[in-house]
Amino acid sequence: MPRAHYIGLGSNLGNRHRFLDDALQKMEVRWGVQAEVSSRYATPPWGMEQGHSDFINQVACFYLQKAPLEVIQDLLEIEHALGRVRDPLSSGYQSRTIDLDILVVEGVTLDDPQLTLPHPRIELRRFVLEPLFELAPALRLRPDGPTVEELLRTCPDHSPLEKLNPVR
């Protein structure tokens, strides 16, 4: 039975919309399913020093039968294909052509060295909650936890988000 996989997409280098478009297209081709997508949001870089370009962020939902650890490998390959460079010496957040994260897999919790589900710190990041709310306001990250709508309402992050016109 396919499960909803919510994927966060972000880019703050180069043609940011093009990187998001290309990532979505690569995921759809690889998995053979079309994504449900949120609006895109321009957001200030979170956890980074000043001087970095704003991010364009979006959330996509794919209904997949794949295991989350297989999906994360696919996402890492897509990031690499789109020019994502990870500096192993950096201890903080970095600018990037594309960032793809599994945020939530409906009904799954996981604590693995490669992947933690739900993604840590979702409830602290408005740039994740706002687009996730568009797709799944009643989704609970954990079975006994609050809904995405409740998390957004109580989110301590008050960073400005600019909702952009739909691109797809």
Side-chain angles (χ1 to χ4, degrees):
M1 180 91 178
R3 291 183 184 266
H5 289 63
Y6 294 91
I7 312 291
L9 298 89
S11 175
N12 80 325
L13 290 177
N15 187 335
R16 298 166 296 167
H17 286 289
R18 180 61 183 254
F19 282 117
L20 295 182
D21 290 341
D22 289 351
L24 285 167
Q25 188 264 339
K26 287 181 180 304
M27 287 184 276
E28 288 175 344
V29 167
R30 183 173 288 225
W31 298 327
V33 294
Q34 189 165 350
E36 295 175 25
V37 295
S38 72
S39 300
R40 291 181 179 173
Y41 292 83
T43 64
W46 193 88
M48 299 170 80
E49 297 174 7
Q50 288 187 331
H52 294 272
S53 300
D54 283 353
F55 275 83
I56 303 292
N57 287 293
Q58 182 173 35
V59 171
C61 178
F62 289 90
Y63 288 88
L64 303 172
Q65 292 191 32
K66 295 183 84 153
L69 291 174
E70 292 176 277
V71 173
I72 195 67
Q73 288 307 311
D74 290 344
L75 296 179
L76 291 171
E77 289 173 19
I78 291 168
E79 284 182 342
H80 181 75
L82 293 175
R84 169 82 187 259
V85 177
R86 294 176 186 270
D87 181 355
L89 302 178
S90 176
S91 60
Y93 295 104
Q94 305 166 28
S95 289
R96 56 209 82 157
T97 55
I98 193 71
D99 184 30
L100 303 173
D101 291 312
I102 303 175
L103 303 172
V104 182
V105 176
E106 200 164 22
V108 174
T109 56
L110 183 65
D111 190 10
D112 185 271
Q114 281 187 281
L115 180 63
T116 300
L117 290 175
H119 191 286
R121 297 174 300 283
I122 289 176
E123 64 277 359
L124 301 175
R125 297 174 173 177
R126 186 167 170 233
F127 70 87
V128 172
L129 288 171
E130 195 79 41
L132 185 57
F133 170 78
E134 284 186 30
L135 296 178
L139 175 69
R140 295 180 188 279
L141 304 186
R142 291 171 188 79
D144 58 345
T147 65
V148 170
E149 180 177 19
E150 293 165 335
L151 290 171
L152 181 58
R153 199 171 36 246
T154 60
C155 182
D157 178 8
H158 299 288
S159 301
L161 302 184
E162 178 188 353
K163 189 174 186 177
L164 304 173
N165 291 330
V167 213
R168 271 182 92 168

